[in-house]
Amino acid sequence: MKSINCARGFCLLSLVTLFAALGSRAGDHPINAGIAAYRDGNYKSAVESFADAIQAAPQDSSLHHWLGKCYGRIAEQGNWFTSMSYAKKTLKQFRKAVELDADNRDALRDLIDYLETAPGFLGGNKQEAKHLGQRLEQLQNARTGNNE
């Protein structure tokens, strides 16, 4: 009886150790680290994490979108010169995200918002935003089955 309990205890301990190891590996993944840093307001750290993740998966639209969001937050907080540089990087990443996945509605929304609000010298373009807004509406209608 004691050996059965010891065997169960060993199995349970092994499972706990395995899950802990898997959890720490997942938490250390650049994407998870980037999202956590972004949510904590550590945008420069998030940029590093997403840039690392993009090195491994350069065609991942969501990574470019997240990187653009980080650049945007840094632009909002920086001085005028820093903000201009990061605003341009924001636009570049939002465009790349949409280029890689034209159905990425979150990236498309953020690109539209950027184009609507940014001044022209930073890439703002209300006409382009309007055109992309129509595309977003089509995507949303297709998703809900509302094809008017």
Side-chain angles (χ1 to χ4, degrees), residues 82-141:
T82 301
S83 293
M84 284 183 38
S85 171
Y86 278 101
K88 291 176 184 177
K89 290 178 180 185
T90 300
L91 178 59
K92 181 180 177 183
Q93 292 303 316
F94 286 168
R95 285 192 188 283
K96 184 70 174 179
V98 171
E99 174 189 320
L100 291 171
D101 180 2
D103 294 339
N104 184 336
R105 287 184 290 279
D106 292 332
L108 194 51
R109 273 187 213 99
D110 284 343
L111 176 57
I112 291 166
D113 184 53
Y114 182 96
L115 293 169
E116 287 177 338
T117 59
F121 70 92
L122 290 176
N125 183 327
K126 292 188 187 316
Q127 279 300 109
E128 184 181 359
K130 183 178 178 180
H131 173 73
L132 291 174
Q134 292 168 344
R135 190 163 112 205
L136 179 60
E137 188 175 330
Q138 290 171 343
L139 286 172
Q140 291 171 331
N141 287 340

